Amino acid sequence: MDKVFIKGLSIQTTIGFFQWEKEIKQTLVIDLAMGWNTANAAVNDELAKTLDYADISVAIERFANDNPVDLIETLAERLASYLMTQYHIPWLKLSIGKPGAVHNAQTVGVEIERGQQITETVI
């Protein structure tokens, strides 16, 4: 399976369990790999036949800001569902990190994988 990816997408959003976290924006760092057949786009060099990672990057930040939650686990689950539905993605791996959330750790976070990887068999 081919993959289109976004690594190190840094967004500012409201997230957190504590009251003070609900009153500020915090940085989240997102890595996303999406299963997609890139050969269709490559045939005639067509953006419309692939996943537009610029558009998806904007959609991720908009989604996070329009749907504030307490837990990054909740954001990951809801964001994965949204992206798979909105962009017809059959499989994705999503990692959300929250740098600085734990003293002495570079980042903490979650990684989820949803959908099914599709492999094409050549006969």
Side-chain angles (χ1 to χ4, degrees):
M1 170 183 280
D2 302 335
K3 295 175 185 154
V4 174
F5 66 88
I6 300 167
K7 288 187 180 177
L9 178 66
S10 182
I11 67 168
Q12 295 290 312
T13 193
T14 303
I15 190 158
F17 176 79
F18 300 106
Q19 186 57 41
W20 65 267
E21 291 181 293
K22 298 176 188 313
E23 298 169 4
I24 65 169
K25 297 275 186 176
Q26 296 187 72
T27 300
L28 296 179
V29 179
I30 297 171
D31 292 332
L32 176 64
M34 301 164 283
W36 197 258
N37 183 349
T38 62
N40 293 333
V43 170
N44 291 312
D45 203 25
E46 295 178 73
L47 178 62
K49 291 187 177 177
T50 193
L51 294 171
D52 183 344
Y53 44 79
D55 181 62
I56 292 171
S57 296
V58 170
I60 289 169
E61 185 162 19
R62 186 179 317 115
F63 183 89
N65 281 292
D66 289 348
N67 301 280
V69 294
D70 290 349
L71 304 174
I72 57 175
E73 291 86 348
T74 306
L75 177 60
E77 196 64 46
R78 292 178 184 176
L79 181 57
S81 179
Y82 167 76
L83 292 171
M84 293 178 79
T85 301
Q86 184 69 23
Y87 295 95
H88 311 291
I89 299 168
W91 170 88
L92 62 75
K93 181 188 269 186
L94 173 65
S95 170
I96 301 178
K98 192 175 180 183
V102 171
H103 181 65
N104 292 337
Q106 183 178 13
T107 193
V108 296
V110 300
E111 181 176 270
I112 65 171
E113 189 172 329
R114 297 293 178 266
Q116 191 171 36
Q117 290 194 39
I118 300 167
T119 56
E120 295 181 30
T121 305
V122 179
I123 298 177

